[in-house]
Amino acid sequence: MTERLLTPQGQALLESGATPWQLHPRPQCRREAWLCLNGSWDFSAQDYEGSITLPFCPESRLSGVERHFPEGSPLVYRREVTLPESWQGGRVLLHIDAADQHLTCRVCDRPVGSHSGGYDNIVFDITPFLEGLTARLELTVRDDLRDASMPYGKQVLPEKRGGMWYTPVSGIWQSVWLEWVPEDYVRTLDIENRGTSVTITVTPALEGKVTIKGLGEFPLTQGKVTLSPEEPHLWSPEDPYLYEFTLQAGEDRIESYFALRVLEIQNRNGYPRLCLNGKPYFFHGLLDQGYWPEGLLTPPAPESYEYDILAMKKLGFNTLRKHIKVELEQFYYLCDKLGMVVFQDMVNNAPYSFFKDTALPTVGLQRCGDRRRHKDPASRAAFRQTMAAVTRQLKNHPCILYWTIFNEGWGQFDSDAVFEEFLALDDTRWVDSTSGWFRREKTHVDSRHVYFRKVRLSGDGKKPLVLSEFGGKTYKAENHVFNPEKSYGYGGCQSPQELTRALKGLYEEEILPCIPKGLCAAIYTQVSDVEDEINGLVTYDRRVEKVSPQDMLPLAQLLEQAIRE
């Protein structure tokens, strides 16, 4: 039997009954005219008629449903909305920021469109389907975890949940909202930072101007402007400076921001180093799964993200590896604003084999060709589609410095070719083609995972060495565990003091000696406990911090000093 854990934000939401997630869903593309549709919707599924609270999935406590419905069965959401009088003329866009997996949309009983993919934004222009200022919305979602061709992350069928596999999420699980735009509007806003310059591009290529706080006004000519400030204020975790700007493109007005930072690989003392703003930088990070006990993939409130980010900064960490999951955009905005580097994973699909993908590589069998792995055309196409959509969706955020394509062989195929495809999507950041093992030729880094043995790594002098997963020490905080009967992790500690000693030993005796040998980053497992996993630095309910800043900050300082020597 599991405990019903609640984070402080989840408890506050349940007690208040407030409409969740009411802030603007696009911090980097803000228009004034928008309408939040989170909150209560009519909801029907197999043997269920009632209501559901969005943006939470039906499996979650915060949705008010708390049920997983049979695989592939329809989940139907209905709501009637009256639009503001000021929205007459122009266009009305319906945004569903994520729905797992296959969604179809009807407005006023007429079909509008469909979308497949559980982790990327969905937008429909519903203007032709409105009845005056009335929008009767019907969204139907079908999710089938038996279809491994679709990206699924750490989700698993309910009867198989446990260990490193978590409760599944189906249906809508991110914000739903409406937005009014003029007839001619910016469909895409691209912000590309290369060194100390930035290029802002809009599609279609509308004329207008860009007004940047502290820099002045610049013409937007043929939908584009490139800027190189004379005295650039560079972004870093220690100084997360953001340039705020207003874009006027025709009648469309958008508020946004960008940052300037320089990403390079430089040779220092015989080893290639990941350099931020001209200097070697040690990316002292944590694996971040992004799960919450009452909301699953969806945090109860924006403050949930803020807590995780600031709690880890307080311990001296500067990097979060967002692990095979895509967050609501507020997460990336807060990392931009508060100063937290993000290593962003793509979301895995295809069948997983514990023996082939985990057991054999863990004991050292980590070399194999991948051109003929996971040959199913539908699976490969679904991965590529989601990879492209997620990259386009997130690449404006300056906090993302590093992309991971494949993790530990899960769904890995033809990684050298996929690496080249990825560079066509974004060549401004470092790309880790194969995190952990099954390494091929084309990648920016030499990426390793080490569990169940001591970290003894040395760079090859060709690519920067990254320890993209390690650690996973467990400590079960009494009364703050999801499952008192079962736990999962990599090496048990019986007290906070024992956990602290284990972490000090890891960093001082294993990580530090690797830095002079080329190590550029180390990603410890992990930010928080997740269901049966109890290897977080905070508990699943975020109420107990297992280690203290006074013990962890000196370790961060040692790492920073070592990378500079």
Side-chain angles (χ1 to χ4, degrees), residues 269-290:
N269 299 322
Y271 291 102
R273 297 289 188 182
L274 298 177
C275 295
L276 175 61
N277 301 332
K279 297 179 180 179
Y281 193 89
F282 193 82
F283 295 92
H284 179 36
L286 293 155
L287 204 68
D288 184 0
Q289 311 273 9

Side-chain angles (χ1 to χ4, degrees), residues 123-185:
V123 185
F124 296 115
D125 183 345
I126 63 171
T127 314
F129 307 93
L130 299 173
E131 294 181 352
L133 292 173
T134 298
R136 293 194 308 279
L137 307 176
E138 180 179 296
L139 306 174
T140 302
V141 188
R142 296 176 186 267
D143 186 12
D144 193 342
L145 270 174
R146 297 169 301 184
D147 176 11
S149 70
M150 296 298 295
Y152 57 90
K154 287 294 193 79
Q155 301 179 67
V156 72
L157 293 169
E159 61 270 20
K160 297 182 179 180
R161 193 211 62 78
M164 66 178 188
W165 299 101
Y166 311 144
T167 300
V169 167
S170 56
I172 296 169
W173 65 275
Q174 290 192 19
S175 290
V176 180
W177 52 294
L178 291 170
E179 183 179 38
W180 180 89
V181 294
E183 193 70 33
D184 295 319
Y185 68 97

Side-chain angles (χ1 to χ4, degrees), residues 90-275:
R91 317 296 297 176
V92 177
L93 307 180
L94 171 62
H95 297 262
I96 304 103
D97 283 350
D100 200 1
Q101 308 169 300
H102 306 285
L103 178 141
T104 58
C105 172
R106 296 176 65 87
V107 174
C108 296
D109 303 318
R110 297 166 62 193
V112 173
S114 61
H115 176 85
S116 292
Y119 294 85
D120 55 308
N121 298 163
I122 306 164
V123 185
F124 296 115
D125 183 345
I126 63 171
T127 314
F129 307 93
L130 299 173
E131 294 181 352
L133 292 173
T134 298
R136 293 194 308 279
L137 307 176
E138 180 179 296
L139 306 174
T140 302
V141 188
R142 296 176 186 267
D143 186 12
D144 193 342
L145 270 174
R146 297 169 301 184
D147 176 11
S149 70
M150 296 298 295
Y152 57 90
K154 287 294 193 79
Q155 301 179 67
V156 72
L157 293 169
E159 61 270 20
K160 297 182 179 180
R161 193 211 62 78
M164 66 178 188
W165 299 101
Y166 311 144
T167 300
V169 167
S170 56
I172 296 169
W173 65 275
Q174 290 192 19
S175 290
V176 180
W177 52 294
L178 291 170
E179 183 179 38
W180 180 89
V181 294
E183 193 70 33
D184 295 319
Y185 68 97
V186 173
R187 286 170 171 77
T188 60
L189 169 63
D190 291 314
I191 303 170
E192 184 177 275
N193 166 222
R194 291 185 183 272
T196 56
S197 72
V198 64
T199 300
I200 299 168
T201 307
V202 300
T203 305
L206 300 171
E207 300 289 318
K209 63 182 179 180
V210 175
T211 304
I212 303 172
K213 186 176 179 181
L215 293 182
E217 185 176 294
F218 303 86
L220 183 71
T221 305
Q222 295 183 336
K224 189 173 185 177
V225 61
T226 297
L227 303 167
S228 298
E230 290 184 6
E231 297 181 0
H233 193 155
L234 300 182
W235 184 97
S236 70
E238 296 73 31
D239 183 14
Y241 184 80
L242 302 176
Y243 289 88
E244 298 177 355
F245 71 89
T246 301
L247 170 73
Q248 187 75 46
E251 297 181 7
D252 200 1
R253 186 178 186 276
I254 294 171
E255 293 182 357
S256 187
Y257 65 88
F258 64 85
L260 301 174
R261 73 281 188 277
V262 182
L263 305 184
E264 300 169 298
I265 295 175
Q266 298 180 6
N267 195 286
R268 299 292 178 92
N269 299 322
Y271 291 102
R273 297 289 188 182
L274 298 177
C275 295

Side-chain angles (χ1 to χ4, degrees), residues 7-20:
T7 64
Q9 295 81 17
Q11 182 175 352
L13 183 59
L14 286 170
E15 290 175 353
S16 70
T19 299

Side-chain angles (χ1 to χ4, degrees), residues 5 154 161-167 287-293 296-297 308 480-483 486-489 525-542 546:
L5 300 178
K154 287 294 193 79
R161 193 211 62 78
M164 66 178 188
W165 299 101
Y166 311 144
T167 300
L287 204 68
D288 184 0
Q289 311 273 9
Y291 268 77
W292 287 264
L296 301 178
L297 286 183
D308 280 6
H480 295 276
V481 293
F482 175 85
N483 188 350
K486 292 184 179 180
S487 59
Y488 179 83
T525 303
Q526 59 187 340
V527 170
S528 73
D529 296 348
V530 183
E531 299 195 342
D532 291 3
E533 283 195 60
I534 55 169
N535 48 18
L537 298 187
V538 298
T539 53
Y540 195 22
D541 60 9
R542 274 64 166 188
K546 301 182 187 180

Side-chain angles (χ1 to χ4, degrees), residues 341-358:
V341 170
V342 175
F343 286 11
Q344 177 65 46
D345 288 11
M346 296 297 107
V347 184
N348 63 283
N349 69 339
Y352 166 80
S353 165
F354 173 78
F355 181 70
K356 293 180 180 179
D357 293 330
T358 298

